[in-house]
Amino acid sequence: MLPQVRKDSLAFFVGAARDYGGVATLDFGLRRFLLVTAPDGLKHVLHDNAKNYVKGYAIVQPLLGDGLVTSEGEQWRRQRRLLQPAFHRDRIRGFVRTMTEDAAVMLDRWAGAARDRVPLDVLEEAMRATQSIIVKTMFSDGGLGTEAEAERIHAAFTVTLEYFTYLMFRRLRLPGWVPTPTHRRFRAAVGTLEQVVYRLIAQRRASGERRDDVLSMLVEARDEETGEGMSDRQIRDEVMTIFLAGHETTATTLAWAWYQLSLHPEVCRRVEEEVDQVLQARVPQAEDVPRLTFTRMVVDETLRLYPAAWMFARTALEEDEVAGYHVPAGQVLMLSPYVLHRRADLWPNPEAFDPWRFAPERALHRHKYAYLPFSGGQRVCIGNNFALMEATLILAMAAQRFRLDLVPGRPVRAQPTSTLRPQPGVWMAVHPRA
C-alpha cells in the first residue's frame, strides 16, 4: 500500500473507506492503523468513550508545547476552562472590526492588482490578512512593532509548517537533536517565535495594562477551582497554538472557496446577490453575519470538500469496540474528515460543490458525526466560531467589490500536509464588479 499512499494519499484513503467500509484496516508493515469513517464509530471515539482515546501530536510538541491542542486529561480540562472566555460568542463579536479592517486592507491591494491586470495568489493574500487579524486579536495593537518584525514572524511560522510537512512524509525520521540543516532551521524558527512571545508576555506583566485582547485574558486568567494563574510557559504554548491554528486554516478555506466560486459562476452570483441585499454597499457588522446565510453555506461546503484538518489520530488506552470491531489497547485510529465528507452514503454526489446541501431543511436529518471540519465531541476546536465568522465576513467583503477568475494554465491540487493546502497556490485574475 505504501507506493499508493505516496502517489496519491487522498485518493488512497477515500478508496479504502469506499471499498472496505466504515472501519478499514491499513497494514503498513511495521505499523497497523484503523481508518474510522463510520459516523457511529466516530461518535464513540470522540464523544461516548472519549476518555479512552488520546491525541497523537508528538511531532508538533516542540512548537506547541502543552497547549490546548496537544495536552490531555486534567491539564487539558484546566486549560480549556481558562481559555473558554476568550472564545465566547460575545467576545468574538468584538473582533469583527479588526476582521473587516484587515480585509479592507487586502481588498485595497486587490484594487491595484485589478488596475494593473496583475494576477494574485489568493492563498498568500488570505494568509497575510488572517495572520494580521490573529496577531491583533492576540496583542491589540499588533504587538510586533515594525513591519519587518511581522515579516520575520511570518517567515518563522512558514519554516515550522514546512518542517511538519517534512516529518509527515519521511519514512525514517532522525531524532530532533541530530544537527541536520532541516532541524537547525526549525529550531532557529522556534527560537525566533519564542523570543517575540516571551518579550510580549514580560511587557504585559510588567505594565499591568489591561487590554481587550487574548494576551491580557491569558495573563489575568485564574482557574475557578484553584485560583491559580498561567505560567509564562503555559501562555507561550497557548499563544503558539492559537497563532498556528488561528490563521492558516481560515486562509486555506478562503482560498478553496474562491477557487470553487470561480468554477461555479451560478453560486458566485448567488453570493453577490445576497451580499448586495444584506450589506447595501456598507462594511458588514457582527449582526449581519447571521443574515449572510448563503455565504455561510458556501463556507460550510468548502469545509466539507477541503477540511483544513483533513486527518487526525487517536490512540486507544484500553481495548474497546468501535462500530462492531475490536480495538486492542495501543491501537492507533486514523480519523479523516476529508474521507468522511466523501462517503456517498452520507453525501449524495460527494465530489460536487453544492452549498445548497447545507440548507437547514437538508441538514435536519444528517448524522451529527457526518460533518466534522472542526473535529467533534468535547475536544471540538475552541476557535470554530471565530473561524466561521472570519471566513464569512472576508468572503462577503470580497464579493462586494470583486469577481475572481482562475488564471488559465495554473492547475490547483490539494496537498495533504499539516493542513489541506491548495498547491502551488491559487492564482486568480481580479475584476472589479460593475
Side-chain angles (χ1 to χ4, degrees):
M1 292 186 293
L2 285 173
Q4 299 176 52
V5 174
R6 286 195 292 269
K7 181 180 179 181
D8 190 339
S9 56
L10 294 174
F12 170 80
F13 289 121
V14 170
R18 181 190 62 238
D19 297 340
Y20 299 101
V23 181
T25 300
L26 308 178
D27 192 342
F28 293 121
L30 295 177
R31 303 200 68 182
R32 177 177 175 272
F33 301 92
L34 294 183
L35 176 65
V36 180
T37 58
D40 287 338
L42 292 165
K43 179 176 180 291
H44 180 81
V45 172
L46 297 173
H47 180 269
D48 299 341
N49 196 23
K51 66 180 183 299
N52 188 51
Y53 295 92
V54 295
K55 289 187 170 187
Y57 284 129
I59 68 170
V60 298
Q61 205 125 21
L63 175 65
L64 303 186
D66 292 320
L68 198 60
V69 167
T70 55
S71 58
E72 295 287 350
E74 185 53 41
Q75 182 178 0
W76 172 81
R77 283 185 281 274
R78 176 179 182 273
Q79 292 300 98
R80 183 87 180 198
R81 287 196 303 268
L82 290 171
L83 281 168
Q84 194 68 53
F87 294 93
H88 189 276
R89 288 181 182 272
D90 290 340
R91 192 175 188 97
I92 292 172
R93 286 167 63 90
F95 295 142
V96 166
R97 182 174 178 179
T98 297
M99 295 175 182
T100 57
E101 286 178 348
D102 279 293
V105 171
M106 179 186 73
L107 296 174
D108 287 343
R109 287 198 305 270
W110 290 16
R115 181 186 61 249
D116 299 335
R117 298 185 179 182
V118 176
L120 293 170
D121 177 4
V122 294
L123 174 61
E124 181 62 26
E125 289 293 304
M127 286 282 191
R128 291 176 64 181
T130 57
Q131 178 178 300
S132 179
I133 289 167
I134 200 66
V135 166
K136 289 177 182 177
T137 56
M138 284 197 299
F139 308 124
S140 290
D141 60 357
L144 299 182
T146 66
E147 184 175 339
E149 186 171 36
E151 287 297 324
R152 196 161 61 98
I153 296 302
H154 177 70
F157 258 104
T158 299
V159 169
T160 64
L161 292 172
E162 291 173 347
Y163 178 75
F164 296 140
T165 300
Y166 161 82
L167 291 182
M168 286 177 65
F169 290 92
R170 295 286 293 184
R171 294 180 66 184
L172 297 174
R173 300 177 191 167
L174 292 174
W177 53 262
V178 178
T180 67
T182 300
H183 290 165
R184 287 200 301 268
R185 280 194 301 271
F186 173 72
R187 286 198 295 271
V190 173
T192 296
L193 296 169
E194 288 186 333
Q195 181 185 24
V196 173
V197 170
Y198 279 128
R199 171 174 61 80
L200 292 170
I201 295 171
Q203 289 175 349
R204 191 64 60 89
R205 286 198 192 278
S207 69
E209 185 179 4
R210 175 67 175 88
R211 296 188 184 182
D212 190 23
D213 60 19
V214 174
L215 182 59
S216 278
M217 188 278 299
L218 294 175
V219 170
E220 298 170 6
R222 295 293 180 271
D223 190 303
E224 293 179 357
E225 297 181 6
T226 67
E228 295 180 357
M230 297 173 69
S231 67
D232 285 2
R233 176 68 193 193
Q234 289 172 320
I235 295 175
R236 171 261 185 226
D237 292 349
E238 298 304 346
V239 167
M240 293 287 198
T241 299
I242 294 168
F243 191 97
L244 182 66
H247 82 282
E248 195 203 9
T249 52
T250 306
T252 56
T253 300
L254 285 166
W256 282 121
W258 286 319
Y259 169 78
Q260 285 291 349
L261 290 175
S262 177
L263 297 176
H264 297 85
E266 73 285 358
V267 178
C268 183
R269 284 192 295 271
R270 180 69 185 86
V271 171
E272 292 171 353
E273 290 169 1
E274 177 179 82
V275 167
D276 292 346
Q277 180 181 357
V278 171
L279 299 183
Q280 300 290 318
R282 58 178 173 77
V283 175
Q285 307 296 315
E287 55 269 21
D288 293 315
V289 175
R291 300 168 61 205
L292 294 166
T293 54
F294 188 76
T295 307
R296 168 61 186 275
M297 287 159 60
V298 168
V299 173
D300 289 338
E301 176 68 346
T302 302
L303 285 166
R304 184 189 70 83
L305 281 173
Y306 309 106
W310 69 279
M311 176 83 78
F312 53 95
R314 293 290 188 271
T315 301
L317 297 176
E318 300 176 359
E319 68 174 346
D320 195 14
E321 183 176 295
V322 174
Y325 289 86
H326 177 253
V327 176
Q331 176 67 59
V332 176
L333 280 62
M334 302 174 75
L335 315 179
S336 174
Y338 181 91
V339 177
L340 171 71
H341 298 167
R342 281 167 169 74
R343 284 186 51 149
D345 58 329
L346 302 173
W347 303 94
N349 196 13
E351 294 292 343
F353 181 72
D354 177 15
W356 285 274
R357 70 173 89 235
F358 283 93
E361 62 275 12
R362 291 181 63 179
L364 190 61
H365 302 293
R366 185 176 299 137
H367 196 296
K368 183 178 179 181
Y369 282 78
Y371 182 64
L372 297 176
F374 298 101
S375 187
Q378 63 179 357
R379 299 201 64 154
V380 66
C381 175
I382 196 172
N384 60 346
N385 291 320
F386 182 102
L388 289 168
M389 176 174 282
E390 181 181 29
T392 302
L393 287 168
I394 295 176
L395 204 62
M397 290 180 67
Q400 276 184 307
R401 296 177 59 180
F402 301 104
R403 185 171 293 172
L404 302 171
D405 291 322
L406 285 166
V407 175
R410 296 207 181 188
V412 179
R413 62 182 178 85
Q415 183 179 23
T417 59
S418 52
T419 57
L420 194 64
R421 274 196 175 198
Q423 290 295 329
V426 184
W427 287 90
M428 309 192 84
V430 185
H431 306 288
R433 286 185 58 198

